[in-house]
Amino acid sequence: MSSKLSPKLNPVRVPLKKKEELKKPSMVRRFGAYAADWFLGDLSAAFPVAFLYSMVTQTPEVTAHITEIPGDYGILAGVLSMVFIITYYVLVPWRLWPGQTVGKRIFGIRITDLDGKRADLKQLILRQVLGLLILENGLMTAGRYAGELAGFAVGKPLMPAWWKYAGWIMGTLSSILIVFHPLRRGIHDYLAGTRVVMAWDGPERKG
């Protein structure tokens, strides 16, 4: 029997490129992908919240807080929002397009581990959820929804006002790291042991 594993039998940790072929993306691509994911990710997270608020209140108005939705519909809105968030930020780059959210696919970059292998589920959760949505949550509506839903579960707010400002600070520090670090790694990348590389560099386009 051959000692080599078929890619179909080992779908998570197959190297995407040789380590020496990895190329870091330009700042335009990196922050362009971030902006696209910020917009599309927050839009997907806000959709069930806005829809349920409008349905329950019978008004065309929308809300940015699940705590303003009456009754158990607030909890339902929070749960649906988390499903949308996890799908966008974790399941899509884990199963649909390895290492790529919609924004990263648009800008031709992807998340890998430090050796150029596909980021596994644990790394994506650490990077996308703990890093981007919780610690660096200053710009992320999705991160606020997670905190509000957790507050519903325990019966009291879990995210004090200063947490938003802490998220802004962490996000700013992470952006500075991305600009000046030789591999363009942010705080979220250090948490997960990941980096972001070009997806389509070299003679063959892999998507």
Side-chain angles (χ1 to χ4, degrees), residues 98-116:
Q100 292 182 304
T101 55
V102 177
K104 284 182 171 54
R105 189 166 181 83
I106 291 172
F107 282 86
I109 61 179
R110 73 168 83 232
I111 306 162
T112 71
D113 70 5
L114 297 181
D115 294 321

Side-chain angles (χ1 to χ4, degrees), residues 66-108:
I66 63 176
T67 52
E68 296 177 358
I69 302 177
D72 292 338
Y73 285 101
I75 298 176
L76 176 60
V79 170
L80 290 176
S81 181
M82 290 303 100
V83 170
F84 278 56
I85 290 168
I86 296 300
T87 299
Y88 186 93
Y89 284 103
V90 177
L91 297 183
V92 168
W94 182 44
R95 285 300 188 187
L96 182 59
W97 300 318
Q100 292 182 304
T101 55
V102 177
K104 284 182 171 54
R105 189 166 181 83
I106 291 172
F107 282 86

